[in-house]
Amino acid sequence: MADETGGSKLDPADWDAFRLEARRLLDAAIDRMARARMLPWKEVGPEARQRLMPPLPQGGQPLTGIVNTLIEDVMPYATGNTHPRFFGWVHGTGLASAFLAEMAASAMNSNCGGRDHGAVYVERAVMDWCRQIFGMAEGSSGVLTTGTSQATLIALVTARHRLTGGTARREGIRTLPPMRVYAAAGAHQCVTKALEAMGHGAAALRTIATEGPAAGMNLERLSATIEEDKRNGDLPLAVVATAGSVDAGAFDRIEELADFCARTGLWLHVDGAFGAWICLADQPWRGLAAGIGRADSIAFDFHKWVGVQYDCGGVLLRDGANHHETFASRPGYLAAQQHGLGGGDPWFCDYGLELSRGFRALKVWTVLQSHGLDAIAASITQNCRQAAYLADRLRNGGHFRVPFAPPSNVCVFGIDRSDMSEEQRSACNRAICERLQLEGTSVFSTTRIGGEVFLRAAIVNHRTTFDDIDLTVAALDRALETLSPDHLNSHADQ
Ligand SMILES: *Cc1c(COP(=O)(O)O)cnc(C)c1O
């Protein structure tokens, strides 16, 4: 229903008043970014939860109130990955440059599934830059995704399309032999999820033992497992190389896997969610990604090590024609035009599962143009140095054990008490992790190696300084000293 001014109630009645409120929010948002160092994660208390989950609103409320709510009730409760001592999971930190791009993209509200408009060209530029960064040949194709999970699904479905000559697309997988995918122990869960969603089931994943806790898969085991599966009548679909494992920051030997796949005709997919970008780093780290451009497909994230705001990942496919054939599907209402807005073929909706898509490309485009590859590379190199430095400090401090040298930017460590059982050490490591999160000093997550829970830092944070690592080590030592006797003396009870 139109109001008295003739405008819809869904537009601001007074754009000048809107501008003032928007500026107030803009100031608060910039303050938040500038003061990131002061703003670690904090717990969402019961009252805050209530304010975040109000009753279903029937009527609206004035803009001033909404802006207040955003500033006071929403923005304080961030994940905390903007903080310089956030090392948990693999969370990107976000960049002010991408913030600008998101404002512009939001005002434009482009639908990037296809058609002929600026956003499509921006995404094409971004995908071609990625092709060049990873060294993939021309003729490849790529599309931005929500993240590596979705990119992995697109890559494996494309691999299946090539393998089955389109049968899977037409008839499903009922008539096909069981398919198998090979990945190192420690490969990300998104590979399993993709296989489940594709109808092959989690059992389609063959886990190949690695040559150590921070090493790649054993190629002889890979070869033997594939032979065994073939003898059983199974269909090998793809080898998934991990470029940067979540647990350890470990890399498969991509060059050797590329040789192996070239010899055997198998599809090589690289899960390079964060680690693919190590190809920008200084040596020795850069060498870990050698050969990545030879893959048939690469999945990677912008929202982790490149620092682009969530969510944003991408996938590159070496055979662009095969990629297009796998997903192209344009009923009458989406028919291409020769000229006009309905032109602009090929459309991105023909390269993945989404039809309507946001303008993710603009934040990547803006980040890369405003900082250049060199600054991003320097930050990636610095994070690898910081992981090595953290490992050194912990080893020399005498309280913590570092089970293996960080291969890249992930440092795994735990309390060094050989007099305790694995379970007791695990309990201590978990308690230290929680303590540091709750006090707002540093955020780690945990992972399990063998039977033991370890602390883990994945440093993908451009804001982290070496002083932050020193501060973190001091906080760890303090946490250890103040760990309750229940934790530290539990071995005496036995
Ligand atoms: C984070 C991650 C994924 C999943 O990526 P999303 O962007 O979270 O979907 C896959 N593989 C690895 C190695 C990761 O670190």
Side-chain angles (χ1 to χ4, degrees):
M1 200 176 106
D3 64 18
E4 289 163 359
T5 62
S8 160
K9 283 212 160 111
L10 295 177
D11 265 336
D14 176 349
W15 282 101
D16 286 331
F18 175 82
R19 194 183 301 274
L20 289 177
E21 290 302 336
R23 284 191 179 142
R24 197 157 67 83
L25 179 61
L26 178 62
D27 276 337
I30 294 174
D31 282 347
R32 202 201 177 283
M33 290 190 286
R35 294 179 57 245
R37 183 166 279 282
M38 320 305 297
L39 300 169
W41 169 84
K42 66 173 178 180
E43 204 166 4
V44 191
E47 283 164 29
R49 280 183 210 192
Q50 245 175 15
R51 285 196 295 276
L52 291 172
M53 299 192 290
L56 173 67
Q58 200 62 51
Q61 49 174 302
L63 198 56
T64 306
I66 285 295
V67 169
N68 288 344
T69 302
L70 293 177
I71 294 173
E72 287 157 24
D73 298 342
V74 178
M75 278 167 45
Y77 298 102
T79 322
N81 42 329
T82 51
H83 188 268
R85 289 188 301 279
F86 188 102
F87 311 120
W89 304 276
V90 193
H91 280 20
T93 311
L95 294 166
S97 49
F99 172 82
L100 294 181
E102 291 209 276
M103 274 202 293
S106 178
M108 293 166 75
N109 194 28
S110 298
N111 185 338
C112 303
R115 293 156 286 264
D116 194 352
H117 52 110
V120 169
Y121 298 96
V122 172
E123 185 159 347
R124 283 186 196 161
V126 164
M127 292 322 299
D128 194 61
W129 292 343
C130 293
R131 182 189 67 72
Q132 293 176 52
I133 289 169
F134 298 127
M136 204 176 245
E138 283 188 56
S140 65
S141 56
V143 64
L144 292 177
T145 64
T146 48
T148 292
S149 300
Q150 194 203 134
T152 302
L153 180 61
I154 290 174
L156 292 180
V157 170
T158 306
R160 186 175 69 184
H161 186 79
R162 185 183 78 174
L163 184 68
T164 64
T167 304
R169 193 167 175 188
R170 271 191 320 276
E171 295 163 28
I173 58 172
R174 273 174 309 122
T175 57
L176 297 166
M179 289 189 197
R180 302 288 178 212
V181 165
Y182 306 86
H188 195 272
Q189 192 62 20
C190 73
V191 178
T192 307
K193 271 199 184 178
L195 290 170
E196 289 167 0
M198 288 164 72
H200 302 296
L205 181 69
R206 285 280 195 247
T207 299
I208 309 297
T210 61
E211 295 180 338
M217 71 174 98
N218 180 310
L219 267 77
E220 274 148 37
R221 292 291 290 276
L222 170 67
S223 180
T225 309
I226 290 173
E227 287 314 312
E228 181 192 323
D229 284 347
K230 280 186 180 162
R231 277 197 300 278
N232 289 334
D234 297 346
L235 211 49
L237 170 62
V239 176
V240 175
T242 302
S245 67
V246 265
D247 277 340
F251 284 70
D252 277 315
R253 294 196 302 270
I254 303 172
E255 197 85 70
E256 286 173 43
L257 287 173
D259 290 339
F260 176 84
C261 288
R263 263 199 321 276
T264 53
L266 271 170
W267 183 284
L268 177 64
H269 172 71
V270 176
D271 175 353
F274 64 93
W277 300 101
I278 217 161
C279 69
L280 297 175
D282 290 354
Q283 293 293 11
W285 299 289
R286 170 192 292 253
L288 291 168
I292 191 169
R294 295 173 61 196
D296 292 291
S297 53
I298 311 173
F300 49 94
D301 280 325
F302 294 97
H303 56 213
K304 289 178 177 170
W305 225 347
V306 187
V308 171
Q309 267 81 328
Y310 287 95
D311 44 31
C312 195
V315 63
L316 281 170
L317 277 299
R318 186 148 63 108
D319 182 347
N322 176 48
H323 183 194
H324 185 260
E325 209 184 278
T326 305
F327 292 102
S329 171
R330 298 271 285 279
Y333 52 84
L334 293 177
Q337 291 169 206
Q338 194 77 38
H339 304 290
L341 176 57
D345 249 337
W347 290 10
F348 281 108
C349 64
D350 285 333
Y351 292 91
L353 296 163
E354 294 172 332
L355 175 56
S356 298
R357 312 169 61 244
F359 194 0
R360 285 190 199 106
L362 190 59
K363 49 192 175 183
V364 181
W365 189 83
T366 306
V367 160
L368 288 179
Q369 288 204 84
S370 73
H371 310 290
L373 280 185
D374 290 346
I376 293 164
S379 179
I380 289 173
T381 300
Q382 162 139 312
N383 287 159
C384 293
R385 293 213 163 96
Q386 287 166 335
Y389 179 68
L390 175 60
D392 278 351
R393 291 265 351 239
L394 291 171
R395 274 183 172 153
N396 296 333
H399 303 305
F400 290 94
R401 190 166 80 84
V402 180
F404 50 82
S408 53
N409 61 326
V410 179
C411 176
V412 173
F413 62 96
I415 178 172
D416 190 15
R417 287 284 294 265
S418 51
D419 56 326
M420 289 181 169
S421 70
E422 275 190 340
E423 289 91 284
Q424 287 159 346
R425 286 196 299 266
S426 297
C428 286
N429 290 336
R430 271 197 225 100
I432 293 169
C433 180
E434 281 173 23
R435 167 85 50 105
L436 265 59
Q437 288 178 10
L438 287 166
E439 68 183 27
T441 41
S442 304
V443 170
F444 298 100
S445 51
T446 58
T447 193
R448 201 174 265 281
I449 298 177
E452 185 167 347
V453 174
F454 281 85
L455 289 137
R456 166 187 166 281
I459 314 179
V460 288
N461 194 325
H462 67 274
R463 222 160 261 155
T464 305
T465 63
F466 283 86
D467 284 346
D468 283 313
I469 304 291
D470 289 337
L471 247 148
T472 294
V473 173
L476 284 165
D477 287 342
R478 227 174 27 243
L480 196 56
E481 274 166 28
T482 56
L483 218 54
S484 75
D486 276 357
H487 278 117
L488 284 175
N489 299 329
S490 51
H491 63 289
D493 301 337
Q494 299 204 334

